[in-house]
């Protein structure tokens, strides 16, 4: 069976629709027919200011949401990054393989550091993609299901794996990004040319899985729309409506063409009402299940500990062959 690995940061109390449609929905599909490893990347979350109580709460909330969204701990290995020390160990080796110029070209670093300036950004934000490469390569993953914003990091991971293999002998599987054409980038519903993001700070445009149905209904009804009044998919001229069409289609399974036909002659108000209903009804049972799971912390911790144990047994083998090929005395 081919291996799949992906990760998500516990940087917020709730995942949003972009995380689900761009990534986690594919994680759920891929757990059938693949050997899947899914990781809550708490070490990556330390690249921004973190409060200890919040980090703990959000790590558990991430596990509960992933299970509620359909990740089965029986089918997949669900684990916490910091519980597998091999990630840090291989991360260092990846840093020693990466050129400073190469790392400086990573657009996620440029975007995130531009907010406060590179001088006051953490060094960890700069080396973040090398830790991500270690996350992937430790498991010899064939596929990495992510949103479009992660394509460059997966390319870097492939480059580093290829570089290591050619210098020190075959050690790592070259991973491929698994990115959907349709829902790879869900945008903010108040600012429809920007990515919906957990850490953007503006919550009005982010549809959160753990928000109450009433709050999400209100948010979608006040989503920004575009000039004109036709419900048509056109990213350049109608970014707001196109984003809502993408969301409706991904959740309802109805094609964008057929949605355009259904709303011919109707206004934006009717359309937003329909999107709100689809989203709210889709998320209602998921939120309820996540809240139920969060009531039994011990059960969640047991699942994560079991996952981490399995992850360590795979990761330690890869680290051992990496060290051996590097000439480290074992
Ligand atoms: P942050 O804003 O803190 O960087 P994020 O919202 O981008 O967080 P991550 O934990 O970094 O979330 O990403 C988890 C997964 O969700 C990744 O595979 C990422 O590509 C995907 N993803 C995040 N935002 C979107 C989006 N707006 N559309 C599609 N996929 C997304
Ligand atoms: N960098 C990713 C999160 C991430 C990840 C990974 C994704 C960390 N490690 C390994 C896939 C595979 C992000 O910011 N979304």
């Amino acid at each position: 069976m081919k291996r799949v690995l992906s990760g998500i940061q516990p940087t917020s109390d709730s995942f949003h629709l972009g995380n689900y449609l761009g990534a986690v929905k594919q994680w759920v599909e891929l757990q059938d027919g693949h050997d899947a490893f899914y990781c809550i990347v708490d070490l990556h979350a330390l690249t921004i200011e973190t409060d200890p109580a919040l980090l703990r709460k959000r790590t558990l909330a991430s596990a509960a949401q992933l299970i509620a969204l359909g990740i089965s701990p029986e089918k997949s290995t669900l684990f916490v990054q910091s519980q597998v020390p091999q990630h840090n160990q291989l991360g260092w080796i990846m840093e020693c393989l990466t050129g400073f110029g190469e790392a400086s070209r990573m657009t996620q670093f440029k975007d995130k550091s531009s907010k406060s300036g590179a001088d006051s950004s953490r060094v960890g934000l700069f080396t973040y993609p090398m830790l991500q490469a270690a996350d992937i390569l430790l498991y010899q993953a064939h596929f990495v299901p992510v949103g479009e914003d992660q394509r460059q990091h997966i390319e870097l991971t492939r480059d580093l794996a290829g570089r290591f293999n050619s210098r020190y002998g075959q050690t790592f599987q070259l991973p491929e990004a698994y990115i959907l054409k349709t829902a790879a980038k869900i945008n903010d519903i108040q600012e429809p040319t920007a990515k919906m993001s957990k850490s953007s700070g503006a919550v009005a445009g982010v549809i959160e899985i753990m928000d109450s149905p009433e709050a999400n209904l209100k948010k979608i009804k006040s989503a920004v729309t575009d000039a004109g009044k036709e419900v048509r998919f056109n990213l350049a001229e109608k970014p707001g409506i196109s984003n809502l069409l993408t969301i409706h289609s991904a959740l309802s399974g109805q094609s964008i063409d057929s949605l355009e036909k259904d709303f011919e002659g109707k206004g934006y108000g009717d359309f937003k009402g329909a999107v709100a209903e689809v989203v709210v009804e889709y998320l209602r049972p998921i939120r309820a299940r996540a809240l139920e799971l969060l009531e039994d912390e011990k059960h969640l911790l047991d699942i994560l500990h079991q996952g981490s144990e399995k992850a360590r047994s795979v990761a330690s083998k890869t680290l051992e062959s990496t060290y051996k090929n590097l000439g480290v005395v074992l």
Side-chain angles (χ1 to χ4, degrees), residues 5-9 41 44 81 108 112 128 131-132 135-136 144-146 149-150 153-154 195:
L5 177 128
S6 198
I8 191 158
Q9 304 185 73
V41 290
H44 277 106
Q81 185 185 33
Q108 181 168 307
K112 292 200 173 184
Y128 177 116
L131 181 60
Q132 179 168 357
D135 298 342
I136 298 167
V144 187
V146 283
D149 61 318
Q150 293 302 307
H153 289 169
I154 314 302
K195 175 183 104 125

Side-chain angles (χ1 to χ4, degrees), residues 265-291:
K266 297 185 185 150
Y268 288 162
D270 281 353
F271 174 59
K272 285 203 279 185
V275 176
E277 191 180 320
V278 167
V279 172
V280 165
E281 292 318 316
Y282 195 95
L283 294 183
R284 192 189 296 278
I286 293 168
R287 172 178 186 254
R289 177 78 184 118
L291 288 172

